[in-house]
Amino acid sequence: MSDPIADLRAAIGDPALMLETPEETGAYTTDWTKKFNGATPMVLRPRTTADVSRMLAACNELGIKVVPQGGNTGVVGGSTPRGGEVVLSLSRLNTIADYDPASATVVVGAGVVLAAVHEFVAPLEMEFPVDLGARGQCQIGGMLATNAGGNRVLRYGLMREQVRGLEVVLADGTVISNLNRLRKDNSGLDLKQLFVGSEGILGVITQAVLQVRPCPPARRTAMLAMTDRAALPALLAEVRARLPGLSSLEVLPDDVCQYVSDQVPGASMPFTERFPIYALVEEETEAGAAGHDGFVERLSGLFESGLVADAVVAESEAQSAGLWHVREATGEAIVAAGYSHKFDITVPQGEIPEFLDEMEALAATLPGIKPLLFGHLGDGNVHANFVQTPEIADKPFLAEGPALAKAVYGATRARHGSVSAEHGIGTLKRDYLGYSKSPEEISLMRRFKGLLDPNGILNPGVMLD
Amino acid sequence: MSDPIADLRAAIGDPALMLETPEETGAYTTDWTKKFNGATPMVLRPRTTADVSRMLAACNELGIKVVPQGGNTGVVGGSTPRGGEVVLSLSRLNTIADYDPASATVVVGAGVVLAAVHEFVAPLEMEFPVDLGARGQCQIGGMLATNAGGNRVLRYGLMREQVRGLEVVLADGTVISNLNRLRKDNSGLDLKQLFVGSEGILGVITQAVLQVRPCPPARRTAMLAMTDRAALPALLAEVRARLPGLSSLEVLPDDVCQYVSDQVPGASMPFTERFPIYALVEEETEAGAAGHDGFVERLSGLFESGLVADAVVAESEAQSAGLWHVREATGEAIVAAGYSHKFDITVPQGEIPEFLDEMEALAATLPGIKPLLFGHLGDGNVHANFVQTPEIADKPFLAEGPALAKAVYGATRARHGSVSAEHGIGTLKRDYLGYSKSPEEISLMRRFKGLLDPNGILNPGVMLD
């Protein structure tokens, strides 16, 4: 009787490229949130693009399904096995090389951790502008496959905007390699664009050429207090018009700030008074006193507009870090709170106040559920968290989950929003893809999938069923 | 005997949607450079996306080949009929609507002229950052289909970076519509990316949601004179590091400037002395005297580096326009000079000096041919023009064209550059696509073409043969 895994083992040959015992494979079968896990018969650990090509060709031949895996920091169940798939770990493709000062580009393996890119370019006084909380674990290949975002999308865009050249291995082992450093290249279809954000269902990213940039002379931070969240769209328009170097605009309602202050040491608010809602603003400016003064002057214009009731401007990098700490600690505070349903959605920025109203009204129908809503106002990206409070701690974990998801995504659809702002679809949101994309679009996605992976071996069950 | 055009006429019905006499169709059969032209039996002029859908479905059914056409300002022969194709003119899809201040987006029909977008948003104190010489004729649909660039790619990117939502009609008439305004949308494959830059071979773009931005407080311009073009890559790195608001960095060798000064009234250089090469720098800064002083101070640092021998800083908008005039008049001057072979290529920025050496050496082997080389240093984009001087005016127009192209593109390939920086492939560069893309990439392009347009009706002969 045929044993495909035995055949795969024979085809790969080198035992150093395979893990098979549960002790060895365990770390690859559960995601960091512990929410998604499944068994795997084997973890493949290629060292080179040629290894990846050979491995995929063998799996394709043998009909073995494969889950590509980077840092395993995703939150939508896209990188862990579901039903006995082989895991393809890209962690060993971890070379950073060939920094080119004229084009300000660097060639990075898929398995390089984001923080390693930051550290590599820092001594060159350059920076890679994408940054996010998982920086110490998330890998460039996975970040490209999910088109990751972060806090400075407003100014620099998502991963898609940072990539110049890309190398991808298709399901049949074909290597599509174009590691060019070019800012402008309109020679033929821009194939790499289809693989960025494809969540491993069309091919496996093995290397990329990333654009880096000079560090800005200074970043300034302020926390603005507002009395009326209905004015958020007007605030966004004003801030965008007045602050030419705007790099972040985050929104934190008072209840979220109180929650974070209670849960996380040091994450305290800088105001003596309380206001219904706060906006964290970051601008890239000139260095020195002139840069600071200009920032303050531009902000003072916001008071004249009547949109801002109070403001605290960071006078030092330490104060700036303090203001950011409240925003950054939201994740930790929510985890500390216990179980929660998390939604990462986008609505048009002008509709954020009404959308927040709707989310609160929805939570009010769920006894014991507390809504914690915040996010990136500049991008219209709302992180909507529904937390199970201690008063219902004895109840089963959010049995109303699917109904809640339908309600949140239904409200998103009604506003022509996206069911996934920056986290991707994975397995978690697969049933809701149709809330943001039309049947014609989903049909076209399926046709691309069928064309590039006719045997359906790549990340089955992710994005498309 | 079947007459497909008669069948198409019957299927369309409304005569107001068709032009058939040579007097009427003439304007659609020749491009603005007069270099590409061919006969057409019919020009289709849809008024709506539904018209486009119905027309393409009929053509697909009847096996009639179609050339989509926007403002017809391309330079690679991608928008005029080659051998009796029907022309599909998108000019009537010229609605600009639904400006949304919170997201700073606007919904634009494919037939809207670029200048109309600029004019629409100017009263809102916003701007659309893509700008180029053909602004009065080129249309948004064509600009998206060719991923047009322009002078501020360095800061704002190409058309791809400006598009949020897109509506496309496939060859069989299927409408793929997603006119969302979202900055972040990772719900499924980002299908629009494949159509941007696809030159009309995969589908016809009918509408788009474009991102606009606040006008910067001020733009400052300076012309820098250099004694050594080998120092261009070092200059780029210095300028990028010192000028955080850098929005353009153009390079003009002295011979090009002299040529332009001779040909175009008012396009004179601001220096009393001559230098081998000049760089035009534009930075977005604060308004007022402080902004000007900061710009001058940052530039003065370049003198310390020894890279710059002299500089002229514009003290007014009129002076700035004067400096830009020399750069913008290059196109006119080259046309005035008579016949020329034009190449629009990218090489990695660090290799520009060596590439210019190679182009001059190449021109030296061609009697009577003068090379005029300039371009966007910031992007590595070189416009290499080989002009036929009067001394060989009696010879046939550049009979050595194909050999010249092979030499230029061969040098580009050797430096891992692109045979098309921003103009696309069209019919003109089709035979040279393989100089920038691998057989595996071209094969994949063909597979996408076969999937989306199995009957091969859309823009046949463009990009792929």
Side-chain angles (χ1 to χ4, degrees), chain B residues 31 33 35-36 74-80 82 199 340-344 397 401-402 405-406 409 419-420 423-433 460-464:
Chain B
D31 79 313
T33 65
K35 211 164 162 182
F36 303 98
V75 293
V76 293
S79 64
T80 42
R82 275 76 65 182
E199 303 189 24
S340 71
H341 265 285
K342 299 154 109 61
F343 299 94
D344 168 51
F397 171 49
K406 275 188 189 158
Y409 293 137
V419 298
S420 181
H423 294 170
I425 295 295
T427 52
L428 180 68
K429 301 186 180 180
R430 196 183 59 202
D431 295 344
Y432 304 103
L433 181 58
V462 163
M463 192 189 300
L464 305 169

mmCIF file of all heavy atoms in Angstrom, chain B residues 31 33 35-36 74-80 82 199 340-344 397 401-402 405-406 409 419-420 423-433 460-464:
data_model
loop_
_atom_site.group_PDB
_atom_site.id
_atom_site.type_symbol
_atom_site.label_atom_id
_atom_site.label_comp_id
_atom_site.label_asym_id
_atom_site.label_seq_id
_atom_site.Cartn_x
_atom_site.Cartn_y
_atom_site.Cartn_z
ATOM 1 N N ASP B 31 -1.612 57.264 -33.463
ATOM 2 C CA ASP B 31 -1.245 57.802 -32.157
ATOM 3 C C ASP B 31 -0.665 59.200 -32.332
ATOM 4 O O ASP B 31 -0.399 59.636 -33.458
ATOM 5 C CB ASP B 31 -0.251 56.876 -31.461
ATOM 6 C CG ASP B 31 1.147 57.056 -32.007
ATOM 7 O OD1 ASP B 31 1.288 57.074 -33.246
ATOM 8 O OD2 ASP B 31 2.080 57.217 -31.222
ATOM 9 N N THR B 33 2.206 60.405 -31.771
ATOM 10 C CA THR B 33 3.550 60.524 -32.344
ATOM 11 C C THR B 33 3.536 60.246 -33.845
ATOM 12 O O THR B 33 4.565 60.376 -34.491
ATOM 13 C CB THR B 33 4.536 59.532 -31.679
ATOM 14 O OG1 THR B 33 4.109 58.190 -31.997
ATOM 15 C CG2 THR B 33 4.587 59.704 -30.172
ATOM 16 N N LYS B 35 3.547 57.559 -35.252
ATOM 17 C CA LYS B 35 4.450 56.459 -35.534
ATOM 18 C C LYS B 35 3.669 55.159 -35.713
ATOM 19 O O LYS B 35 4.098 54.255 -36.418
ATOM 20 C CB LYS B 35 5.398 56.324 -34.336
ATOM 21 C CG LYS B 35 6.787 55.824 -34.650
ATOM 22 C CD LYS B 35 7.671 56.125 -33.453
ATOM 23 C CE LYS B 35 8.940 55.335 -33.428
ATOM 24 N NZ LYS B 35 9.719 55.639 -32.214
ATOM 25 N N PHE B 36 2.539 55.066 -35.033
ATOM 26 C CA PHE B 36 1.759 53.835 -35.063
ATOM 27 C C PHE B 36 0.380 54.121 -35.649
ATOM 28 O O PHE B 36 -0.332 54.994 -35.164
ATOM 29 C CB PHE B 36 1.578 53.287 -33.642
ATOM 30 C CG PHE B 36 2.874 53.039 -32.939
ATOM 31 C CD1 PHE B 36 3.389 53.973 -32.046
ATOM 32 C CD2 PHE B 36 3.603 51.886 -33.201
ATOM 33 C CE1 PHE B 36 4.603 53.754 -31.413
ATOM 34 C CE2 PHE B 36 4.815 51.664 -32.572
ATOM 35 C CZ PHE B 36 5.319 52.602 -31.678
ATOM 36 N N GLY B 74 0.040 57.209 -25.513
ATOM 37 C CA GLY B 74 1.121 56.261 -25.268
ATOM 38 C C GLY B 74 2.206 56.374 -26.333
ATOM 39 O O GLY B 74 1.995 56.986 -27.384
ATOM 40 N N VAL B 75 3.353 55.780 -26.061
ATOM 41 C CA VAL B 75 4.455 55.883 -27.012
ATOM 42 C C VAL B 75 4.990 54.520 -27.427
ATOM 43 O O VAL B 75 6.064 54.430 -28.031
ATOM 44 C CB VAL B 75 5.608 56.743 -26.444
ATOM 45 C CG1 VAL B 75 5.181 58.187 -26.303
ATOM 46 C CG2 VAL B 75 6.076 56.205 -25.104
ATOM 47 N N VAL B 76 4.261 53.443 -27.117
ATOM 48 C CA VAL B 76 4.761 52.115 -27.451
ATOM 49 C C VAL B 76 3.815 51.347 -28.373
ATOM 50 O O VAL B 76 3.899 50.126 -28.493
ATOM 51 C CB VAL B 76 5.068 51.280 -26.172
ATOM 52 C CG1 VAL B 76 6.246 51.882 -25.423
ATOM 53 C CG2 VAL B 76 3.853 51.167 -25.261
ATOM 54 N N GLY B 77 2.872 52.071 -28.996
ATOM 55 C CA GLY B 77 1.999 51.408 -29.975
ATOM 56 C C GLY B 77 1.019 50.439 -29.352
ATOM 57 O O GLY B 77 0.702 49.406 -29.942
ATOM 58 N N GLY B 78 0.499 50.777 -28.178
ATOM 59 C CA GLY B 78 -0.418 49.864 -27.501
ATOM 60 C C GLY B 78 -1.881 50.233 -27.642
ATOM 61 O O GLY B 78 -2.742 49.492 -27.178
ATOM 62 N N SER B 79 -2.198 51.361 -28.279
ATOM 63 C CA SER B 79 -3.591 51.814 -28.251
ATOM 64 C C SER B 79 -4.171 52.141 -29.626
ATOM 65 O O SER B 79 -5.252 52.698 -29.717
ATOM 66 C CB SER B 79 -3.717 53.039 -27.343
ATOM 67 O OG SER B 79 -2.970 54.120 -27.859
ATOM 68 N N THR B 80 -3.449 51.772 -30.691
ATOM 69 C CA THR B 80 -3.980 51.990 -32.047
ATOM 70 C C THR B 80 -4.094 50.643 -32.750
ATOM 71 O O THR B 80 -3.328 49.714 -32.458
ATOM 72 C CB THR B 80 -3.045 52.921 -32.854
ATOM 73 O OG1 THR B 80 -1.681 52.542 -32.606
ATOM 74 C CG2 THR B 80 -3.249 54.363 -32.447
ATOM 75 N N ARG B 82 -3.740 47.586 -35.226
ATOM 76 C CA ARG B 82 -2.618 47.085 -36.030
ATOM 77 C C ARG B 82 -3.134 46.443 -37.310
ATOM 78 O O ARG B 82 -2.615 46.694 -38.388
ATOM 79 C CB ARG B 82 -1.814 46.044 -35.245
ATOM 80 C CG ARG B 82 -0.759 46.589 -34.338
ATOM 81 C CD ARG B 82 -1.301 47.194 -33.053
ATOM 82 N NE ARG B 82 -1.945 46.211 -32.184
ATOM 83 C CZ ARG B 82 -2.518 46.496 -31.035
ATOM 84 N NH1 ARG B 82 -2.550 47.736 -30.578
ATOM 85 N NH2 ARG B 82 -3.082 45.558 -30.323
ATOM 86 N N GLU B 199 -1.956 46.799 -19.652
ATOM 87 C CA GLU B 199 -1.995 47.301 -21.030
ATOM 88 C C GLU B 199 -3.188 46.791 -21.831
ATOM 89 O O GLU B 199 -3.101 46.581 -23.040
ATOM 90 C CB GLU B 199 -0.675 46.979 -21.756
ATOM 91 C CG GLU B 199 0.546 47.567 -21.022
ATOM 92 C CD GLU B 199 1.832 47.451 -21.824
ATOM 93 O OE1 GLU B 199 1.769 47.364 -23.064
ATOM 94 O OE2 GLU B 199 2.909 47.465 -21.202
ATOM 95 N N SER B 340 14.305 60.573 -33.988
ATOM 96 C CA SER B 340 15.148 60.019 -32.931
ATOM 97 C C SER B 340 14.611 58.667 -32.499
ATOM 98 O O SER B 340 13.435 58.369 -32.669
ATOM 99 C CB SER B 340 15.201 60.961 -31.723
ATOM 100 O OG SER B 340 13.974 60.958 -31.044
ATOM 101 N N HIS B 341 15.513 57.853 -31.988
ATOM 102 C CA HIS B 341 15.114 56.619 -31.331
ATOM 103 C C HIS B 341 15.095 56.889 -29.845
ATOM 104 O O HIS B 341 16.079 57.358 -29.285
ATOM 105 C CB HIS B 341 16.112 55.491 -31.643
ATOM 106 C CG HIS B 341 15.678 54.649 -32.786
ATOM 107 N ND1 HIS B 341 14.685 53.720 -32.693
ATOM 108 C CD2 HIS B 341 16.095 54.624 -34.069
ATOM 109 C CE1 HIS B 341 14.509 53.126 -33.860
ATOM 110 N NE2 HIS B 341 15.354 53.671 -34.722
ATOM 111 N N LYS B 342 13.955 56.571 -29.196
ATOM 112 C CA LYS B 342 13.781 56.883 -27.777
ATOM 113 C C LYS B 342 13.733 55.594 -26.967
ATOM 114 O O LYS B 342 13.012 54.663 -27.344
ATOM 115 C CB LYS B 342 12.443 57.611 -27.576
ATOM 116 C CG LYS B 342 12.314 58.925 -28.307
ATOM 117 C CD LYS B 342 10.851 59.234 -28.591
ATOM 118 C CE LYS B 342 10.338 60.373 -27.746
ATOM 119 N NZ LYS B 342 11.017 61.651 -27.933
ATOM 120 N N PHE B 343 14.465 55.574 -25.887
ATOM 121 C CA PHE B 343 14.440 54.417 -24.992
ATOM 122 C C PHE B 343 14.136 54.891 -23.583
ATOM 123 O O PHE B 343 14.724 55.866 -23.111
ATOM 124 C CB PHE B 343 15.780 53.684 -25.028
ATOM 125 C CG PHE B 343 16.129 53.165 -26.395
ATOM 126 C CD1 PHE B 343 16.924 53.914 -27.255
ATOM 127 C CD2 PHE B 343 15.641 51.947 -26.835
ATOM 128 C CE1 PHE B 343 17.229 53.455 -28.525
ATOM 129 C CE2 PHE B 343 15.946 51.484 -28.107
ATOM 130 C CZ PHE B 343 16.744 52.231 -28.954
ATOM 131 N N ASP B 344 13.220 54.201 -22.934
ATOM 132 C CA ASP B 344 12.787 54.557 -21.584
ATOM 133 C C ASP B 344 13.144 53.384 -20.685
ATOM 134 O O ASP B 344 12.396 52.422 -20.582
ATOM 135 C CB ASP B 344 11.267 54.786 -21.595
ATOM 136 C CG ASP B 344 10.677 54.864 -20.197
ATOM 137 O OD1 ASP B 344 11.214 55.634 -19.385
ATOM 138 O OD2 ASP B 344 9.686 54.150 -19.928
ATOM 139 N N PHE B 397 15.725 56.966 -42.260
ATOM 140 C CA PHE B 397 15.609 57.153 -40.820
ATOM 141 C C PHE B 397 16.124 55.936 -40.052
ATOM 142 O O PHE B 397 15.514 54.878 -40.046
ATOM 143 C CB PHE B 397 14.151 57.429 -40.456
ATOM 144 C CG PHE B 397 13.898 57.414 -38.973
ATOM 145 C CD1 PHE B 397 14.714 58.131 -38.105
ATOM 146 C CD2 PHE B 397 12.847 56.690 -38.440
ATOM 147 C CE1 PHE B 397 14.477 58.122 -36.752
ATOM 148 C CE2 PHE B 397 12.608 56.677 -37.069
ATOM 149 C CZ PHE B 397 13.427 57.391 -36.228
ATOM 150 N N GLY B 401 17.979 50.907 -36.538
ATOM 151 C CA GLY B 401 17.101 50.864 -35.358
ATOM 152 C C GLY B 401 17.121 49.562 -34.587
ATOM 153 O O GLY B 401 17.446 49.558 -33.388
ATOM 154 N N PRO B 402 16.786 48.445 -35.214
ATOM 155 C CA PRO B 402 16.755 47.192 -34.456
ATOM 156 C C PRO B 402 18.107 46.852 -33.816
ATOM 157 O O PRO B 402 18.155 46.380 -32.671
ATOM 158 C CB PRO B 402 16.355 46.154 -35.506
ATOM 159 C CG PRO B 402 15.615 46.940 -36.547
ATOM 160 C CD PRO B 402 16.292 48.283 -36.578
ATOM 161 N N ALA B 405 18.447 49.088 -30.810
ATOM 162 C CA ALA B 405 17.599 48.620 -29.709
ATOM 163 C C ALA B 405 18.232 47.421 -29.012
ATOM 164 O O ALA B 405 18.278 47.346 -27.778
ATOM 165 C CB ALA B 405 16.208 48.260 -30.231
ATOM 166 N N LYS B 406 18.740 46.487 -29.813
ATOM 167 C CA LYS B 406 19.372 45.315 -29.200
ATOM 168 C C LYS B 406 20.555 45.710 -28.332
ATOM 169 O O LYS B 406 20.780 45.144 -27.262
ATOM 170 C CB LYS B 406 19.828 44.336 -30.285
ATOM 171 C CG LYS B 406 18.693 43.419 -30.706
ATOM 172 C CD LYS B 406 19.161 42.324 -31.641
ATOM 173 C CE LYS B 406 17.932 41.606 -32.179
ATOM 174 N NZ LYS B 406 18.179 40.899 -33.414
ATOM 175 N N TYR B 409 19.118 47.623 -25.127
ATOM 176 C CA TYR B 409 18.452 46.698 -24.205
ATOM 177 C C TYR B 409 19.416 45.626 -23.692
ATOM 178 O O TYR B 409 19.257 45.130 -22.571
ATOM 179 C CB TYR B 409 17.221 46.065 -24.872
ATOM 180 C CG TYR B 409 16.123 47.071 -25.153
ATOM 181 C CD1 TYR B 409 15.419 47.065 -26.356
ATOM 182 C CD2 TYR B 409 15.779 48.043 -24.208
ATOM 183 C CE1 TYR B 409 14.405 47.992 -26.608
ATOM 184 C CE2 TYR B 409 14.776 48.976 -24.455
ATOM 185 C CZ TYR B 409 14.089 48.941 -25.654
ATOM 186 O OH TYR B 409 13.096 49.852 -25.895
ATOM 187 N N VAL B 419 13.504 47.187 -19.528
ATOM 188 C CA VAL B 419 13.374 47.757 -20.876
ATOM 189 C C VAL B 419 12.214 48.744 -20.948
ATOM 190 O O VAL B 419 12.075 49.467 -21.929
ATOM 191 C CB VAL B 419 13.195 46.672 -21.967
ATOM 192 C CG1 VAL B 419 14.414 45.774 -22.024
ATOM 193 C CG2 VAL B 419 11.917 45.862 -21.747
ATOM 194 N N SER B 420 11.395 48.778 -19.909
ATOM 195 C CA SER B 420 10.366 49.816 -19.859
ATOM 196 C C SER B 420 10.192 50.308 -18.435
ATOM 197 O O SER B 420 9.650 49.617 -17.580
ATOM 198 C CB SER B 420 9.018 49.314 -20.372
ATOM 199 O OG SER B 420 8.090 50.384 -20.320
ATOM 200 N N HIS B 423 6.757 53.457 -19.635
ATOM 201 C CA HIS B 423 5.937 53.565 -20.846
ATOM 202 C C HIS B 423 5.193 52.283 -21.209
ATOM 203 O O HIS B 423 4.297 52.310 -22.041
ATOM 204 C CB HIS B 423 6.799 53.995 -22.042
ATOM 205 C CG HIS B 423 7.351 55.381 -21.917
ATOM 206 N ND1 HIS B 423 8.300 55.889 -22.761
ATOM 207 C CD2 HIS B 423 7.080 56.367 -21.034
ATOM 208 C CE1 HIS B 423 8.592 57.133 -22.405
ATOM 209 N NE2 HIS B 423 7.879 57.440 -21.363
ATOM 210 N N GLY B 424 5.577 51.174 -20.623
ATOM 211 C CA GLY B 424 4.956 49.895 -20.974
ATOM 212 C C GLY B 424 5.681 49.214 -22.133
ATOM 213 O O GLY B 424 6.697 49.707 -22.632
ATOM 214 N N ILE B 425 5.132 48.080 -22.551
ATOM 215 C CA ILE B 425 5.744 47.269 -23.601
ATOM 216 C C ILE B 425 5.074 47.533 -24.952
ATOM 217 O O ILE B 425 5.747 47.747 -25.968
ATOM 218 C CB ILE B 425 5.649 45.769 -23.244
ATOM 219 C CG1 ILE B 425 6.486 45.456 -21.995
ATOM 220 C CG2 ILE B 425 6.084 44.887 -24.417
ATOM 221 C CD1 ILE B 425 7.984 45.634 -22.150
ATOM 222 N N GLY B 426 3.745 47.537 -24.970
ATOM 223 C CA GLY B 426 3.013 47.783 -26.210
ATOM 224 C C GLY B 426 3.405 46.811 -27.304
ATOM 225 O O GLY B 426 3.717 45.642 -27.044
ATOM 226 N N THR B 427 3.380 47.302 -28.549
ATOM 227 C CA THR B 427 3.880 46.482 -29.649
ATOM 228 C C THR B 427 5.357 46.786 -29.897
ATOM 229 O O THR B 427 6.103 45.930 -30.354
ATOM 230 C CB THR B 427 3.092 46.771 -30.945
ATOM 231 O OG1 THR B 427 3.092 48.183 -31.190
ATOM 232 C CG2 THR B 427 1.643 46.311 -30.808
ATOM 233 N N LEU B 428 5.753 48.002 -29.537
ATOM 234 C CA LEU B 428 7.119 48.463 -29.851
ATOM 235 C C LEU B 428 8.201 47.629 -29.179
ATOM 236 O O LEU B 428 9.243 47.347 -29.771
ATOM 237 C CB LEU B 428 7.259 49.934 -29.421
ATOM 238 C CG LEU B 428 8.617 50.588 -29.663
ATOM 239 C CD1 LEU B 428 8.884 50.741 -31.154
ATOM 240 C CD2 LEU B 428 8.701 51.954 -28.971
ATOM 241 N N LYS B 429 7.988 47.261 -27.924
ATOM 242 C CA LYS B 429 9.053 46.595 -27.160
ATOM 243 C C LYS B 429 8.769 45.112 -26.936
ATOM 244 O O LYS B 429 9.437 44.479 -26.116
ATOM 245 C CB LYS B 429 9.215 47.283 -25.793
ATOM 246 C CG LYS B 429 9.567 48.756 -25.886
ATOM 247 C CD LYS B 429 9.844 49.324 -24.506
ATOM 248 C CE LYS B 429 10.198 50.802 -24.597
ATOM 249 N NZ LYS B 429 10.480 51.366 -23.267
ATOM 250 N N ARG B 430 7.766 44.594 -27.627
ATOM 251 C CA ARG B 430 7.335 43.223 -27.366
ATOM 252 C C ARG B 430 8.473 42.217 -27.533
ATOM 253 O O ARG B 430 8.628 41.294 -26.729
ATOM 254 C CB ARG B 430 6.194 42.876 -28.311
ATOM 255 C CG ARG B 430 5.409 41.676 -27.917
ATOM 256 C CD ARG B 430 4.364 41.393 -28.969
ATOM 257 N NE ARG B 430 4.990 41.170 -30.262
ATOM 258 C CZ ARG B 430 4.378 41.316 -31.432
ATOM 259 N NH1 ARG B 430 3.113 41.708 -31.468
ATOM 260 N NH2 ARG B 430 5.013 41.077 -32.569
ATOM 261 N N ASP B 431 9.287 42.426 -28.543
ATOM 262 C CA ASP B 431 10.373 41.473 -28.787
ATOM 263 C C ASP B 431 11.477 41.562 -27.734
ATOM 264 O O ASP B 431 12.389 40.736 -27.738
ATOM 265 C CB ASP B 431 10.976 41.706 -30.169
ATOM 266 C CG ASP B 431 9.974 41.406 -31.275
ATOM 267 O OD1 ASP B 431 8.951 40.750 -30.985
ATOM 268 O OD2 ASP B 431 10.204 41.854 -32.410
ATOM 269 N N TYR B 432 11.403 42.594 -26.883
ATOM 270 C CA TYR B 432 12.469 42.780 -25.895
ATOM 271 C C TYR B 432 12.014 42.495 -24.466
ATOM 272 O O TYR B 432 12.785 42.675 -23.533
ATOM 273 C CB TYR B 432 13.031 44.211 -26.009
ATOM 274 C CG TYR B 432 13.516 44.505 -27.404
ATOM 275 C CD1 TYR B 432 12.762 45.285 -28.275
ATOM 276 C CD2 TYR B 432 14.703 43.946 -27.877
ATOM 277 C CE1 TYR B 432 13.184 45.524 -29.571
ATOM 278 C CE2 TYR B 432 15.133 44.177 -29.177
ATOM 279 C CZ TYR B 432 14.366 44.963 -30.019
ATOM 280 O OH TYR B 432 14.789 45.180 -31.302
ATOM 281 N N LEU B 433 10.774 42.039 -24.305
ATOM 282 C CA LEU B 433 10.283 41.721 -22.960
ATOM 283 C C LEU B 433 11.219 40.720 -22.268
ATOM 284 O O LEU B 433 11.498 40.824 -21.071
ATOM 285 C CB LEU B 433 8.852 41.160 -23.042
ATOM 286 C CG LEU B 433 8.165 40.782 -21.734
ATOM 287 C CD1 LEU B 433 8.080 41.978 -20.785
ATOM 288 C CD2 LEU B 433 6.776 40.215 -22.000
ATOM 289 N N PRO B 460 -4.697 42.379 -29.053
ATOM 290 C CA PRO B 460 -3.764 41.348 -29.539
ATOM 291 C C PRO B 460 -2.464 41.971 -30.029
ATOM 292 O O PRO B 460 -2.455 43.051 -30.599
ATOM 293 C CB PRO B 460 -4.539 40.710 -30.700
ATOM 294 C CG PRO B 460 -5.543 41.733 -31.116
ATOM 295 C CD PRO B 460 -5.914 42.474 -29.872
ATOM 296 N N GLY B 461 -1.387 41.272 -29.776
ATOM 297 C CA GLY B 461 -0.077 41.754 -30.220
ATOM 298 C C GLY B 461 0.592 42.705 -29.265
ATOM 299 O O GLY B 461 1.750 43.053 -29.450
ATOM 300 N N VAL B 462 -0.126 43.130 -28.223
ATOM 301 C CA VAL B 462 0.473 44.007 -27.224
ATOM 302 C C VAL B 462 1.094 43.154 -26.109
ATOM 303 O O VAL B 462 0.509 42.154 -25.705
ATOM 304 C CB VAL B 462 -0.587 44.982 -26.648
ATOM 305 C CG1 VAL B 462 -0.117 45.619 -25.344
ATOM 306 C CG2 VAL B 462 -0.909 46.057 -27.672
ATOM 307 N N MET B 463 2.237 43.537 -25.660
ATOM 308 C CA MET B 463 3.006 42.900 -24.574
ATOM 309 C C MET B 463 3.468 41.483 -24.927
ATOM 310 O O MET B 463 4.659 41.184 -24.884
ATOM 311 C CB MET B 463 2.213 42.885 -23.260
ATOM 312 C CG MET B 463 3.084 42.503 -22.072
ATOM 313 S SD MET B 463 2.181 42.212 -20.533
ATOM 314 C CE MET B 463 1.388 43.765 -20.240
ATOM 315 N N LEU B 464 2.536 40.600 -25.250
ATOM 316 C CA LEU B 464 2.867 39.208 -25.561
ATOM 317 C C LEU B 464 2.516 38.941 -27.015
ATOM 318 O O LEU B 464 1.542 39.472 -27.525
ATOM 319 C CB LEU B 464 2.052 38.274 -24.662
ATOM 320 C CG LEU B 464 2.184 38.514 -23.157
ATOM 321 C CD1 LEU B 464 1.137 37.713 -22.390
ATOM 322 C CD2 LEU B 464 3.579 38.157 -22.672
#
